Amino acid sequence: MKRPRFLRQKEVDIKLRHEHAERPRKLVPWWARALRRIGMRQGLRRQQPSGSLSGMRAGRVRVAEPPAYARRSVVKASFSRNRRSGAWAAHARYLSRPGAQQEFAKGLGFDSEREGIDMLATIRDWEKSDELMWRFIVSPEDADRLNLHDHVRELVGQMERDLDTKLEWVAIDHHNTDDAHVHLLVRGIRENGRPLEINREYLRSGIRIRSQEIATRELGPRLEPEMLRARERAVRREQWTEIDRALQRKADGNGLVTYDQFQPRSEGTRIRAEQEIDRLQFLSGLGLASRVDERSWKLSQNHERELRERQVSKDVIKSRAHSRQRAIDTGMDRVRERERERNG
């Protein structure tokens, strides 16, 4: 389907500058000027102090959305009730299974101070008396450039300030999918013994934003070419993306997204609009949006929930496929080893 006429301009080749690995880092990072330009330093300074949050009731925390050039992060949150069925222990056993963290070895967890934790023993201990356990999957952008253990430790520290309580937790990093990620398990008990309640909005976006803030402080904000390329890769993904968040912000109360009065101010804004229109056309093919006229679309009421559910299903399928392939490869390696032993 054709794009609106005002967007039909020549394509611009966006290229990233590649620096040599051996080039030393500058003492003053290159992105310091960018932080001043986009006003991010002020935003971070306003969000870091948590004293204003401590007076709030448990879990009722609002966190401002970070600037567009902040690093991305995906955080999935859920909880599990203790049915005394051993389900928590089974989940911990699955997370620490051989191959998920490192090849041919049982996975080991970590917490705020320790490494090499036996997750199964820890969760079994929680399961004896606890009623609730929170579960998070944290997957920051460019995870291969971050120390994931340090990232999660800083993230949980910020969560403690936001929620005004110490948290007892254990986590494990996984490298068995295309994107490295961390599974974080948190006891559903506040330090005063009361249940740990977390506001839905904080679960939905607050923890993700905190992870983005930490990654941005570590790596610096994204350059515009990086951001545009990341968005382009997401146009045809069956999952909730940053383009969908942009469309959600543009939509009116009825879910209508229109570019009727849109005039691009720069090449970047033009490309972003084209990506959003491509995304709307893709969503139309999935039945999650409908075209109203040449420059307008209406998002379905359940398009966010549907995209998130599709992502969860794909993650499960992908993880199982990786596990099956790893089991096959391991079996073949054992067969070859026995053949070598027989052949002397």
Side-chain angles (χ1 to χ4, degrees):
M1 190 174 291
K2 295 181 179 179
R3 289 170 172 164
R5 193 171 300 165
F6 64 87
L7 294 177
R8 286 194 212 130
Q9 301 177 19
K10 65 180 181 179
E11 296 295 329
V12 176
D13 184 22
I14 296 178
K15 296 180 180 179
L16 293 175
R17 296 191 300 272
H18 297 284
E19 295 188 357
H20 297 295
E22 64 272 16
R23 182 182 297 176
R25 285 180 177 268
K26 295 181 179 180
L27 293 178
V28 178
W30 61 265
W31 43 265
R33 293 185 299 275
L35 286 175
R36 287 194 291 270
R37 284 200 303 273
I38 64 177
M40 185 175 175
R41 179 174 290 166
Q42 265 190 336
L44 288 175
R45 194 181 297 124
R46 283 196 302 270
Q47 293 170 15
Q48 283 172 352
S50 54
S52 61
L53 297 173
S54 61
M56 292 185 173
R57 293 182 61 191
R60 298 194 175 181
V61 182
R62 288 189 176 90
V63 184
E65 192 72 31
Y69 290 90
R71 295 283 164 179
R72 302 288 93 183
S73 184
V74 176
V75 175
K76 300 172 186 176
S78 62
F79 66 88
S80 177
R81 300 284 183 187
N82 189 354
R83 308 300 182 189
R84 304 296 192 276
S85 61
W88 289 7
H91 183 62
R93 186 182 297 109
Y94 175 75
L95 293 181
S96 56
R97 68 192 184 278
Q101 184 184 57
Q102 51 188 329
E103 292 289 342
F104 313 119
K106 176 185 175 182
L108 296 172
F110 64 96
D111 63 14
S112 59
E113 298 177 347
R114 298 175 297 161
E115 298 280 348
I117 295 174
D118 185 338
M119 289 194 71
L120 180 56
T122 300
I123 300 305
R124 274 179 173 161
D125 190 49
W126 296 0
E127 204 167 23
K128 293 176 182 176
S129 57
D130 292 3
E131 297 295 330
L132 177 71
M133 180 174 70
W134 291 98
R135 305 191 299 193
F136 304 93
I137 302 175
V138 182
S139 181
E141 182 181 44
D142 296 320
D144 57 324
R145 297 171 58 193
L146 295 168
N147 183 316
L148 287 176
H149 290 207
D150 290 345
H151 182 88
V152 169
R153 283 173 174 136
E154 188 172 351
L155 175 62
V156 175
Q158 182 61 60
M159 290 169 62
E160 289 177 333
R161 291 187 288 275
D162 288 344
L163 301 173
D164 194 26
T165 183
K166 292 291 292 182
L167 299 174
E168 188 172 344
W169 58 277
V170 65
I172 187 169
D173 52 307
H174 276 187
H175 305 270
N176 60 326
T177 60
D178 295 337
D179 300 310
H181 55 280
V182 175
H183 291 265
L184 168 65
L185 307 181
V186 179
R187 292 187 75 178
I189 303 174
R190 298 176 65 84
E191 61 182 330
N192 61 7
R194 297 180 63 83
L196 176 63
E197 298 177 357
I198 305 178
N199 177 264
R200 179 176 295 182
E201 188 61 27
Y202 188 69
L203 291 172
R204 182 174 176 270
S205 60
I207 301 172
R208 167 184 59 82
I209 293 170
R210 292 307 194 198
S211 177
Q212 289 180 222
E213 291 171 359
I214 295 165
T216 304
R217 288 198 297 269
E218 178 68 21
L219 302 176
R222 295 182 297 175
L223 295 172
E224 184 169 59
E226 287 183 277
M227 183 188 71
L228 293 175
R229 288 193 173 191
R231 282 169 58 104
E232 189 65 35
R233 289 193 296 269
V235 166
R236 290 169 179 80
R237 287 182 177 171
E238 293 185 38
Q239 64 186 65
W240 183 251
T241 70
E242 63 179 293
I243 304 181
D244 296 301
R245 289 193 185 93
L247 293 173
Q248 195 175 63
R249 289 192 295 269
K250 284 181 168 67
D252 64 13
N254 297 317
L256 183 68
V257 181
T258 183
Y259 295 85
D260 191 44
Q261 303 297 323
F262 175 78
Q263 292 297 329
R265 299 185 303 274
S266 66
E267 285 300 307
T269 56
R270 178 182 70 81
I271 294 171
R272 284 196 292 273
E274 289 182 354
Q275 291 171 337
E276 290 162 11
I277 288 170
D278 285 346
R279 180 65 174 175
L280 286 164
Q281 292 174 169
F282 177 74
L283 293 175
S284 298
L286 298 178
L288 300 178
S290 56
R291 188 161 192 163
V292 177
D293 56 40
E294 185 183 3
R295 300 184 181 185
S296 303
W297 285 261
K298 185 175 182 180
L299 297 170
S300 67
Q301 290 184 343
N302 66 333
H303 92 284
E304 179 179 353
R305 185 179 72 250
E306 177 67 23
L307 287 171
R308 290 186 184 278
E309 288 177 354
R310 290 186 183 217
Q311 175 64 33
V312 170
S313 298
K314 284 194 159 212
D315 287 346
V316 171
I317 292 170
K318 188 182 293 187
S319 179
R320 288 175 177 171
H322 276 282
S323 297
R324 283 197 298 270
Q325 186 59 50
R326 187 173 288 107
I328 292 171
D329 293 342
T330 301
M332 293 299 295
D333 289 340
R334 288 172 179 168
V335 169
R336 294 191 191 99
E337 183 64 28
R338 285 197 293 268
E339 288 178 351
R340 282 195 293 269
E341 289 175 358
R342 282 198 299 267
N343 294 333

